[in-house]
Amino acid sequence: MRTGRPTATLLVTAEERAALERWSRRPKTAQALAQRARIVLACATGATNTVVAARFGITRQMVGKWRARFVGRRLDGLLDEPRPGAPRRIGDEDIERVLAFTLETMPRDATHWSTRSMARKSGLSQTAVSRIWRAFALQPHRVGTFKLSKDPLFIEKVRDIVGLYLAPPDKALVLCVDEKTQIQALDRTQPLLPMRPGQVERRAHDYRRHGTTSLFAALDVKTGKVLGECHRRHRSTEFRHFLDTIDAAVPSRLDVHLILDNYGTHKTALIHRWLAKRPRFHLHFTPTGASWINLVERWFATLTEKQIRRGTHRSTRELETAIKHYLAVSNGHPKPFAWTKTADEILASVARFCLRTSNSRH
């Protein structure tokens, strides 16, 4: 078989060989670069262009091209060169003007800019404005929410509760307790239209109310199981009844650490007397305006998403039955929420946010 004229062995340093082997092993990304690396590695073994071309099913011209590129520019020669394109028609001054308008002004007829209104203001096309916003991650049509706690003991409470999550005490049970109040039993005024190919489920926008209920829940931080019960009213009497349920469910040999918010029903004289008779109960209050630190709130969000928001309930009893069913299913396959951030990381994040917000106001 004809193998072509002898070709000098391609010399490759150890560092270059390591980079070439790394590129050649890419399973999915940059396959063109991976093939070029394999070509150079094959040439480094002393194989001719014809042999290398036959091995990889390519032409001798391609092998010669990348051999020459590697000899001339080494590893940089295997990378894609910048391709020619149309010259920029939007200068830096135009971009700066769009950014200044977006960040520092508002349209006369709206609270935020749209691509069309900004295009009219700046004299650029709507597509150009959209590209500039994407390049600088600007989204005037979106708005987020935030809330900073004003609790004077914010730092101490964060360290206390996060410490319970990351290093719970021995011979104790950590429970996140809260109430989801005023859950409405809603029934649509017309029957639902079920989902079918090409069409989502549809429902009437209006509804009938059939009463409300309140869910008292306690999330076991370690196991993910939830102890819950529904009450028609939300008073300290109902909360004490729920504490009795917790007391009966937790073995007497264990201390109980309850993480809960600062709602008034948690601090009445009735509750204080109940706690005084049961010294194994320890209460840890979340900072004011910082319900995000209570893990049971995340479970409430899952309950709302999966069971309540799209559910149809013709009576309060039917709603409570649906909630109890979800509790049973959830406890059948519990999955605990994993708290990952330390107190120092949380406090540092809050400090960065406050500093960034303070600087933006000057």
Side-chain angles (χ1 to χ4, degrees), residues 45-249:
T45 62
T48 63
N49 291 356
T50 304
V51 172
V52 175
R55 179 184 304 173
F56 296 117
I58 55 179
T59 64
R60 287 185 301 154
Q61 290 78 6
M62 179 179 286
V63 177
K65 170 186 174 180
W66 294 113
R67 179 194 287 266
R69 288 273 291 270
F70 182 79
V71 171
R73 298 171 52 193
R74 311 309 292 176
L75 292 176
D76 290 339
L78 302 184
L79 303 176
D80 289 323
E81 295 180 340
R83 299 184 180 183
R88 286 179 57 187
R89 291 183 295 177
I90 302 176
D92 293 341
E93 293 181 357
D94 295 327
I95 295 175
E96 182 181 359
R97 188 170 73 255
V98 170
L99 295 178
F101 285 153
T102 304
L103 297 174
E104 300 173 6
T105 66
M106 288 193 305
R108 291 188 301 173
D109 60 342
T111 59
H112 59 278
W113 291 101
S114 67
T115 53
R116 290 178 176 83
S117 61
M118 180 54 69
R120 290 192 297 268
K121 177 73 173 178
S122 63
L124 302 176
S125 67
Q126 179 186 350
T127 303
V129 172
S130 179
R131 288 174 178 169
I132 293 172
W133 282 355
R134 283 199 302 270
F136 288 89
L138 293 175
Q139 298 176 317
H141 64 287
R142 298 186 61 187
V143 62
T145 60
F146 76 97
K147 183 175 179 63
L148 289 176
S149 174
K150 298 180 180 180
D151 196 317
L153 299 177
F154 176 78
I155 295 176
E156 292 79 359
K157 291 181 178 180
V158 168
R159 293 192 182 280
D160 177 35
I161 294 174
V162 173
L164 289 175
Y165 290 154
L166 299 181
D170 295 332
K171 298 181 180 179
L173 190 66
V174 179
L175 298 176
C176 294
V177 177
D178 203 359
E179 304 89 10
K180 186 172 180 62
T181 61
Q182 299 295 308
I183 308 175
Q184 298 186 78
L186 302 178
D187 182 23
R188 300 292 164 176
T189 58
Q190 298 179 18
L192 300 178
L193 298 181
M195 177 179 62
R196 62 182 183 181
Q199 181 175 289
V200 300
E201 177 184 285
R202 294 182 294 173
R203 58 179 61 200
H205 69 277
D206 52 346
Y207 47 81
R208 297 188 184 94
R209 296 184 178 92
H210 297 283
T212 62
T213 189
S214 295
L215 172 63
F216 291 70
L219 170 70
D220 186 342
V221 172
K222 183 177 181 180
T223 66
K225 290 187 175 182
V226 177
L227 181 65
E229 59 185 30
C230 294
H231 292 278
R232 301 296 172 86
R233 302 185 68 177
H234 181 213
R235 303 170 300 174
S236 59
T237 303
E238 284 75 28
F239 182 61
R240 190 202 63 179
H241 186 279
F242 184 56
L243 289 177
D244 289 334
T245 302
I246 295 175
D247 191 25

Side-chain angles (χ1 to χ4, degrees), residues 171-173 246-256 279-281:
K171 298 181 180 179
L173 190 66
I246 295 175
D247 191 25
V250 178
S252 58
R253 67 179 184 278
L254 297 178
D255 283 351
V256 183
R280 70 176 184 138
F281 277 77

Side-chain angles (χ1 to χ4, degrees), residues 293-337:
I293 204 170
N294 195 334
L295 281 177
V296 76
E297 295 288 353
R298 185 64 193 87
W299 186 86
F300 282 155
T302 305
L303 168 67
T304 302
E305 177 186 356
K306 293 185 176 181
Q307 186 67 42
I308 297 177
R309 179 175 294 130
R310 292 177 59 176
T312 300
H313 310 104
R314 297 175 178 84
S315 67
T316 306
R317 184 185 299 275
E318 190 174 325
L319 171 62
E320 293 176 347
T321 301
I323 293 174
K324 292 175 183 177
H325 173 73
Y326 181 81
L327 275 168
V329 173
S330 176
N331 289 333
H333 302 280
K335 184 178 180 181
F337 298 106

